[in-house]
Amino acid sequence: MEDEFLIYGGGYLGLLLCDYCLNKGIFPKGIIDRSPDKQGIRWRNMVSIMSPDYLNTLDRGTKIIVAHSNHGNIYDEIRLFLNDKGFKNVEHIYEFAQRDEVADLFDEQKLVLRIHSEKVRENSVKISAVGKIWDDEISRKVYTQIISALERGMVDGIDILPLREQYFLNVFSKIDNEVFVDIGGGPTGDVLQEFLERNRQYCRYYYFEPDENIYTVKTKFEKNEQIIFNKLAVSDTEEKLFLKNFMDMNSVIDKQGEQEVISISLDAYQFKESPTFIKIDAEGYERRILQGAEQTILSCRPIIACATYHSEEDFWEIPLYLYNKLKDYRYYIRSYLNISEVILYAIPKERWVGYEI
């Protein structure tokens, strides 16, 4: 690994990569970000976030790792920008993560950055079984593309949908008394806002987010009595956990986290109404959340929209878990950003479009 390198991108991926390096005693030369709000901050009090102007002071042989989820047009634009400034030693974070000499940086990764292709080969029987559960040709094609990408150690070649459509695939009937459970609501309430725009009538919205930034979202929607905010993590049991915040862009459960939080299972939570829709995106806790919601799911039969991309195993273990529990559901999968934003949809037969009792 180069003695000196720079991270380009102070978003979640850039800060996550920086943390991985710091945990191994490696200190990046800095983080470049175009946002004035981030410039001047010392991440973890050790690595400075600077404007692109800082590039003018650097040796043009400096290694630059571009930390951006998009490996297509956006990365190409950044690479060309850096090349025009004389920096030729530029690499995308996904390419960097595949190098053998940095493998130990990603031994506890929170996203699939370093792809372990051998896991695909070792689980071929499960993958073959998952390939048969999808209800439409798009799902079968997308799943094949995802598995192919994992086999190749690449992230390209996957059909994607617009990110704002995430969790709202048009394959189920809408109802006026929707009870939406948002697990991993996040710091901005984007999914909540999208839901409100799409559903003028609904019964209740349960917002689960363990980070203190939940209060920012709560303040924004405090006049809406149909929304219930819960400063809780969701898991399969009640326990004390620690949460690491990434500049209010994301939060993950981490033993080195700065916030102490409490988790609860959905089966133990006292809902006022039966959930009709459960959305789960909890940075790797999805399987535990589903296990802790088993009775709720079996008795209430909600639509489930679940993230399946925080580990390679998620791509087959989560679909198989749900399929084995819920036989009279239909299953769909869509990508909204290569392998980084993949959502599985499980739809009960009574919510199928065109279903008649």
Side-chain angles (χ1 to χ4, degrees):
M1 185 173 182
E2 288 80 358
D3 292 334
E4 290 191 339
F5 67 95
L6 194 73
I7 297 172
Y8 192 98
Y12 174 53
L13 278 190
L15 300 182
L16 194 62
L17 175 59
C18 188
D19 273 7
Y20 290 166
C21 292
L22 295 175
N23 289 341
K24 299 296 183 180
I26 299 169
F27 294 84
K29 193 174 182 66
I31 301 172
I32 297 295
D33 197 273
R34 295 179 179 180
S35 171
D37 293 338
K38 298 176 184 177
Q39 294 163 11
I41 293 175
R42 284 184 62 80
W43 179 242
R44 306 297 185 203
N45 292 318
M46 287 184 276
V47 180
S48 295
I49 302 178
M50 297 161 287
S51 82
D53 292 341
Y54 178 68
L55 294 169
N56 297 326
T57 71
L58 296 176
D59 183 280
R60 294 309 187 263
T62 301
K63 172 76 175 182
I64 300 179
I65 302 166
V66 178
H68 197 289
S69 297
N70 187 294
H71 191 259
N73 294 338
I74 295 177
Y75 170 60
D76 290 340
E77 291 174 6
I78 295 172
R79 179 172 51 79
L80 289 174
F81 165 75
L82 294 171
N83 289 167
D84 287 345
K85 283 187 168 291
F87 296 95
K88 305 300 182 183
N89 194 4
V90 178
E91 194 169 29
H92 191 275
I93 186 172
Y94 284 113
E95 298 165 348
F96 172 75
Q98 303 315 307
R99 296 167 54 188
D100 291 338
E101 62 267 32
V102 300
D104 62 332
L105 290 183
F106 302 92
D107 53 10
E108 295 183 8
Q109 60 184 358
K110 305 295 183 182
L111 282 172
V112 181
L113 296 175
R114 180 174 177 82
I115 298 172
H116 301 89
S117 299
E118 69 276 8
K119 292 184 179 181
V120 176
R121 295 189 292 272
E122 293 167 359
N123 290 276
S124 59
V125 174
K126 290 183 177 181
I127 291 169
S128 178
V130 173
K132 299 174 183 178
I133 75 171
W134 308 117
D135 197 70
D136 68 342
E137 186 59 37
I138 295 175
S139 295
R140 288 186 282 273
K141 179 181 179 183
V142 168
Y143 191 69
T144 298
Q145 291 172 339
I146 290 170
I147 297 304
S148 175
L150 294 175
E151 289 176 326
R152 293 180 288 111
M154 301 291 289
V155 298
D156 296 330
I158 302 171
D159 295 343
I160 62 173
L161 294 175
L163 198 57
R164 69 166 296 176
E165 296 179 11
Q166 193 175 30
Y167 313 115
F168 300 105
L169 187 65
N170 188 26
V171 294
F172 53 86
S173 58
K174 294 179 68 172
I175 56 176
D176 292 339
N177 61 339
E178 195 83 85
V179 179
F180 195 99
V181 180
D182 186 351
I183 301 174
T188 61
D190 289 347
V191 176
L192 169 56
Q193 186 64 56
E194 186 69 25
F195 173 85
L196 294 176
E197 291 178 8
R198 292 171 178 263
N199 297 269
R200 298 302 179 184
Q201 288 185 303
Y202 65 100
C203 177
R204 190 77 67 186
Y205 195 104
Y206 289 90
Y207 194 101
F208 287 87
E209 172 57 49
D211 199 296
E212 292 176 354
N213 58 34
I214 189 176
Y215 297 117
T216 302
V217 183
K218 185 176 182 180
T219 299
K220 182 179 179 181
F221 295 96
E222 61 184 353
K223 294 182 179 180
N224 190 329
E225 296 181 354
Q226 291 172 274
I227 305 172
I228 296 178
F229 289 91
N230 300 276
K231 188 183 178 300
L232 291 167
V234 182
S235 182
D236 57 349
T237 187
E238 181 177 333
E239 61 182 327
K240 181 174 67 176
L241 300 168
F242 292 91
L243 194 71
K244 181 180 285 189
N245 181 286
F246 289 84
M247 291 176 60
D248 289 343
M249 291 177 287
N250 210 347
S251 298
V252 299
I253 299 297
D254 192 294
K255 59 186 177 182
Q256 297 180 354
E258 61 275 2
Q259 295 182 47
E260 183 177 308
V261 299
I262 299 298
S263 72
I264 190 173
S265 72
L266 285 190
D267 285 346
Y269 183 81
Q270 299 298 308
F271 288 101
K272 293 182 178 181
E273 310 86 7
S274 296
T276 62
F277 194 123
I278 298 177
K279 165 258 173 181
I280 308 172
D281 191 343
E283 307 305 324
Y285 260 64
E286 289 79 12
R287 278 181 271 172
R288 292 186 61 177
I289 290 168
L290 288 169
Q291 291 165 1
E294 181 173 331
Q295 295 308 312
T296 300
I297 292 171
L298 291 175
S299 62
C300 300
R301 296 180 53 79
I303 290 172
I304 300 169
C306 183
T308 62
Y309 60 88
H310 292 104
S311 72
E312 289 96 337
E313 292 86 351
D314 284 352
F315 289 109
W316 49 87
E317 296 294 350
I318 291 177
L320 285 177
Y321 175 83
L322 288 173
Y323 182 74
N324 289 332
K325 297 288 183 182
L326 306 169
K327 293 294 186 180
D328 55 349
Y329 270 55
R330 286 181 178 173
Y331 296 88
Y332 304 84
I333 192 169
R334 296 292 189 271
S335 170
Y336 298 86
L337 185 60
N338 55 65
I339 61 169
S340 297
E341 296 288 344
V342 177
I343 304 299
L344 177 150
Y345 296 88
I347 316 297
K349 66 179 181 181
E350 57 270 27
R351 295 291 298 273
W352 298 346
V353 173
Y355 175 77
E356 295 182 3
I357 298 175

